[in-house]
Amino acid sequence: MNKFSLKLSVIIVNWNTKELLRKSIQSVYDIAGTYPYEVIVIDNASDDGSADMVADEFRDVMLVRSKENLGFSAGNNVGMQLASGEYFLLLNPDAELKTNAVRNMIEFADEHPRAAFIGPKLLNSDGSLQKNGRKFPSFLREISELTRIHKWFWNYYDLNMGWGRVDFDKITQVDEVSGACILARKAAVDEIGLLDERFFMYYEETDWCKRAKKAGWEVYYLPTAEVIHHWAAGAKQIGLKGSRIFHRSQYLYFGKHHGIIQAFILKAASSMLMLVLQINSIVKRARK
């Protein structure tokens, strides 16, 4: 007998993406019914009426109204601690499940008991491919991206430091998958722990996958599961602040997994980049 009361817990952390959130929840309702499931929405103190919309239109949803913006990691941790499912589906509010996405991920996970995390094929709003399933970030890769040098040797960079492949229609064991949509096995999460809440956003799923693989678990990219991801809806709202959060998470990740020297060099390089961006912003405003 299954010790879990539910097969699936869908967890959505929202911040001011009301209209996209509505579509995201509806996509779950439309196609997730193959298995017993629950939907948990953590609203991070939105001021656009998101929480009221969920309460009014989706009364079966377990809604948590946070009084502050907890960020991606802490918000999802709240959801996972409330969840009853054998699997957790962490779903961005700017993502919509396509037909059979949930079923295909769960069937694959059931057939691969060492799969801790599974990431689907992501599609842009226009249906074009949004690549998923990447190599872990290396110091050389991060430096080349910060300095934009990677554009000079793109093919080598993409195959050896980026995605590691050109075929995104093939099931592949990968290092990490995007946090836009992750199917996580509760048993793996119980072993390696929840998301590291020091990562407000960015690099949190990278750190999670890193810990899983160190513990002997596997991470897969599954192209037979398709999810539309309306890219970075939350991040677009915070502008330059988002870049600062990104680089802080980058520093935390490298300090945790690669040592303080690499983290410090990256921090210095990113600080210079941020200074350049701020100067450009000031110049643009002055010209208006």
Side-chain angles (χ1 to χ4, degrees):
M1 183 175 177
N2 196 322
K3 65 180 179 178
F4 299 98
S5 60
L6 294 170
K7 189 70 171 180
L8 178 68
S9 297
V10 181
I11 301 163
I12 304 175
V13 176
N14 175 72
W15 182 65
N16 288 331
T17 55
K18 176 181 173 182
E19 297 306 320
L20 289 171
L21 175 63
R22 177 185 284 116
K23 293 180 180 179
S24 183
I25 298 173
Q26 189 60 56
S27 78
V28 175
Y29 275 45
D30 288 344
I31 70 168
T34 305
Y35 302 96
Y37 72 97
E38 64 184 349
V39 181
I40 303 170
V41 172
I42 313 299
D43 186 71
N44 273 336
S46 297
D47 58 12
D48 67 344
S50 289
D52 289 340
M53 180 274 293
V54 173
D56 292 340
E57 299 180 23
F58 301 99
R59 297 189 179 183
D60 292 337
V61 167
M62 185 188 305
L63 173 64
V64 178
R65 297 174 185 257
S66 175
K67 294 181 180 179
E68 60 179 319
N69 189 347
L70 300 172
F72 184 87
S73 296
N76 273 297
N77 285 351
V78 169
M80 285 188 281
Q81 288 170 321
L82 292 171
S84 303
E86 180 181 356
Y87 295 107
F88 305 144
L89 183 68
L90 275 56
L91 184 67
N92 270 17
D94 60 359
E96 299 175 43
L97 302 172
K98 294 194 71 176
T99 304
N100 296 331
V102 169
R103 187 190 71 185
N104 290 347
M105 281 191 282
I106 289 179
E107 286 183 355
F108 184 87
D110 284 344
E111 293 167 1
H112 296 77
R114 293 305 298 171
F117 305 123
I118 297 170
K121 175 187 279 189
L122 296 177
L123 303 173
N124 293 307
S125 303
D126 62 2
S128 60
L129 177 69
Q130 189 178 117
K131 293 180 181 179
N132 191 16
R134 208 177 188 192
K135 289 178 174 290
F136 285 130
S138 65
F139 177 75
L140 181 59
R141 187 181 96 184
E142 303 298 274
I143 284 292
S144 68
E145 288 182 357
L146 280 168
T147 58
R148 305 295 192 266
I149 293 175
H150 68 296
K151 294 182 178 180
W152 299 354
F153 54 100
W154 178 258
N155 289 336
Y156 176 87
Y157 160 86
D158 202 39
L159 285 175
N160 293 278
M161 291 186 283
W163 303 103
R165 64 200 193 283
V166 295
D167 186 356
F168 289 87
D169 291 319
K170 181 181 178 181
I171 297 171
T172 310
Q173 200 173 150
V174 296
D175 284 344
E176 61 165 309
V177 288
S178 168
C181 180
I182 299 178
L183 185 76
R185 186 185 303 272
K186 184 182 187 301
V189 175
D190 286 344
E191 180 180 334
I192 68 171
L194 298 169
L195 290 161
D196 187 336
E197 295 184 7
R198 290 178 297 172
F199 298 94
F200 183 83
M201 60 188 294
Y202 302 120
Y203 287 86
E204 65 288 311
E205 73 269 45
T206 306
D207 170 72
W208 218 22
C209 292
K210 187 85 167 179
R211 287 188 277 136
K213 298 204 80 169
K214 282 183 177 179
W217 291 92
E218 297 165 352
V219 179
Y220 285 91
Y221 165 75
L222 186 67
T224 56
E226 294 186 344
V227 175
I228 300 170
H229 181 216
H230 306 287
W231 184 260
K236 289 175 183 176
Q237 299 180 64
I238 56 179
L240 195 59
K241 184 180 178 182
S243 295
R244 289 193 289 269
I245 294 171
F246 174 88
H247 292 301
R248 180 180 182 277
S249 293
Q250 181 185 60
Y251 174 75
L252 286 170
Y253 176 82
F254 273 82
K256 182 174 182 178
H257 294 288
H258 297 278
I260 193 64
I261 294 176
Q262 289 189 19
F264 180 79
I265 294 172
L266 282 170
K267 185 176 182 180
S270 63
S271 295
M272 292 179 63
L273 176 63
M274 287 302 300
L275 180 60
V276 170
L277 291 174
Q278 288 173 341
I279 291 172
N280 285 341
S281 179
I282 292 170
V283 170
K284 287 181 180 177
R285 287 199 301 268
R287 288 175 175 174
K288 289 182 179 180

